[in-house]
Amino acid sequence: MNLSAAELFDGPSRHHVIEDLCRGQRLGRHALVFVLVIAGFGGLYGAVLGLWRSPLLGFYVAVKFPLLLITTALLTSVFNWMAASALGLALRYTQVAVMMLFALAIAAVVLGSVAPIAWFMTMSAPPPASSARTVHNILYLLHTGMVGSAGIAGTLFLSKVLNVVADRRRSLKIYAVWILSFALTGGEVAWLLRPFVGSVYHPVVFIRADSYQRNVYEFVGSDILPHLLSSITEDPCQNTSPCSQP
Amino acid sequence: MSEHITVLSALNRLLKQPEATAGAMAKGVPVSTAVFLAGALGCFAIYGLAAGFFQGDLQIVIASLKAPVIVFGTALLCLPSFYVFTSLAGSELSPARTIGMLAGFCAVLGLLMTGMLPVAWLFSVSTRSILFVFWMHLIMWFAALVFARNYLRVAFPSLPERRVLRLWILMFVLVSFQMTTHLRPVLWRDPDQGVFSAGKMSFFEHFRAMNAAAFRDPKAMAQGRAAD
């Protein structure tokens, strides 16, 4: 069995993969390739992601980041399979699960390809210190943007698969539901597996002890948004109290 | 001597017939990547030389060495994303040919910058404000990138998703800014300053600080030139 990540790069090979996914053929083999691709490319990006805080966090995130992608794929697959069925597209569960892995394998490849750039940007940033909260926030936004963009790129290939197996109107509906479930679930899984960039106020750990307290949306609603709103309305020179860190 | 002529003729062909050159590369006709890289190296070294005339003396040599490093460093960091982005967008070029295309892109950029070299030199030797030359080089860099984008368009004529090229060029620009900041100072160096500045800094912070300082105290920013 010849397993190669090149089948994701190479147009004709990728076309064969999409055909197999649509027909439900060789799913086990494709799933294995996608998991390996996610582990390799996602691990590479993860290492860069955690490197700013410390090499140890880089190692942790190299393990956690592929875990985040694979867990997100598996957690969303059940709902996405049901949603597709409810919207009139009869696919096997394994087909949907491998499609999720396919989208995230593409995302991992994209992230792996920008890893040298992310590494350079990270290495050019001032080192972590209690005064480097702004740098942390910039890196956090940079990586969030990169991961989000790569995720969208990956799901665009899902839409190609859906366009083959369903009419345009139905495929658009299913695609919208799948994207939403990816975003909601991925955000929460990332919250549970934090730290990734590594807050300057917390020690380096594999997973935080309080990771199961609250969720990412609760945090955004109760901390991030009020802090942003108060920053806009108040005089910035008067606002010196630190807010809670993600 | 004959190799020198080969580099020039290859660059001349690239400038006048980018479609034919890129098409030949895409079809597998062996066009030496090394020729394009050598051409780009020469072009950026000469451009850096002209830019170094802003301060003069040793900075002429330093800028002529740093300019090619900025571009090649940027290209090297952006190479994996160039291959992956174009492949995912529908390109069927092999990694080796993609590297050739990127070398061609660097060569086109170098040629365009060399075309603006007399203007860059003239303003470098006659201007006192570092803010002015900073913006001049920035505008020239953008202008070169706009024209070089056309080379990428003809290099990938059948690419269904052209947006990826725009996205990649944007990344290339941002990385080139950070590379310039990383290798600072390029245009002006204080007498007690080393060839490289210590301390890490983002390009945004660097550009903002330089512009703010120049607006706050333009005379101090041009002190070196005034003393000449």
Side-chain angles (χ1 to χ4, degrees), chain A residues 116-126 135 138-139 142, chain B residues 66 69-71 73-75 77-78 134 138 141 170-186 196-197 199-207:
Chain A
I117 296 172
W119 168 80
F120 179 60
M121 294 293 186
T122 303
M123 289 298 100
S124 302
V135 178
I138 289 171
L139 285 174
L142 174 83
Chain B
K66 282 186 179 179
V69 176
I70 289 169
V71 177
T74 302
L77 288 174
C78 293
F134 163 77
L138 200 65
W141 182 233
L170 177 69
M171 281 172 35
F172 186 87
V173 171
L174 295 178
V175 175
S176 71
F177 288 171
Q178 188 58 49
M179 190 62 79
T180 309
T181 301
H182 193 68
L183 297 174
R184 70 190 188 281
V186 179
F196 297 102
S197 284
K200 294 178 174 181
M201 202 180 223
S202 77
F203 74 86
F204 184 73
E205 199 181 352
H206 179 217
F207 289 180

Side-chain angles (χ1 to χ4, degrees), chain B residues 14-192:
Chain B
L14 184 67
L15 188 67
K16 290 179 178 171
Q17 299 170 303
E19 288 183 40
T21 311
M25 287 169 74
K27 284 173 188 164
V29 175
V31 179
S32 175
T33 301
V35 170
F36 288 144
L37 290 177
L41 178 75
C43 288
F44 283 109
I46 295 169
Y47 185 85
L49 197 91
F53 271 92
F54 174 69
Q55 182 171 20
D57 299 331
L58 187 61
Q59 200 59 24
I60 296 172
V61 180
I62 293 172
S64 76
L65 291 173
K66 282 186 179 179
V69 176
I70 289 169
V71 177
F72 285 146
T74 302
L76 195 65
L77 288 174
C78 293
L79 173 63
S81 53
F82 185 65
Y83 175 65
V84 167
F85 283 24
T86 52
S87 295
L88 290 178
S91 163
E92 292 174 12
L93 294 184
S94 66
R97 287 182 198 168
T98 309
I99 291 171
M101 290 292 185
L102 184 59
F105 175 72
C106 290
V108 170
L109 268 177
L111 281 170
L112 291 164
M113 294 301 279
T114 310
M116 293 182 272
L117 187 139
V119 180
W121 172 79
L122 180 67
F123 280 100
S124 294
V125 293
S126 59
T127 306
R128 289 183 173 187
S129 165
I130 194 169
L131 193 65
F132 182 89
V133 287
F134 163 77
W135 282 104
M136 179 190 72
H137 290 303
L138 200 65
I139 289 167
M140 285 178 171
W141 182 233
F142 276 123
L145 282 162
V146 167
F147 286 108
R149 197 182 70 171
N150 291 333
Y151 163 78
L152 284 185
R153 279 183 183 163
V154 297
F156 297 96
S158 56
L159 205 64
E161 284 290 339
R162 294 292 181 91
R163 281 174 297 184
V164 295
L165 290 178
R166 285 203 290 270
L167 179 68
W168 182 81
I169 288 176
L170 177 69
M171 281 172 35
F172 186 87
V173 171
L174 295 178
V175 175
S176 71
F177 288 171
Q178 188 58 49
M179 190 62 79
T180 309
T181 301
H182 193 68
L183 297 174
R184 70 190 188 281
V186 179
L187 295 174
W188 179 265
R189 192 168 56 92
D190 289 330
D192 56 340

Side-chain angles (χ1 to χ4, degrees), chain A residues 48-103:
Chain A
V48 172
L49 182 56
L51 202 58
W52 176 72
R53 185 67 175 83
S54 76
L56 180 63
L57 188 63
F59 172 71
Y60 286 162
V61 182
V63 176
K64 284 197 294 182
F65 195 74
L67 202 62
L68 161 69
L69 297 181
I70 293 166
T71 309
T72 303
L74 294 179
L75 287 177
T76 51
S77 60
V78 177
F79 172 77
N80 288 350
W81 168 63
M82 288 178 179
S85 300
L87 289 166
L89 181 61
L91 293 169
R92 291 186 352 239
Y93 167 73
T94 45
Q95 257 179 301
V96 175
V98 179
M99 282 179 190
M100 300 300 112
L101 286 172
F102 173 60

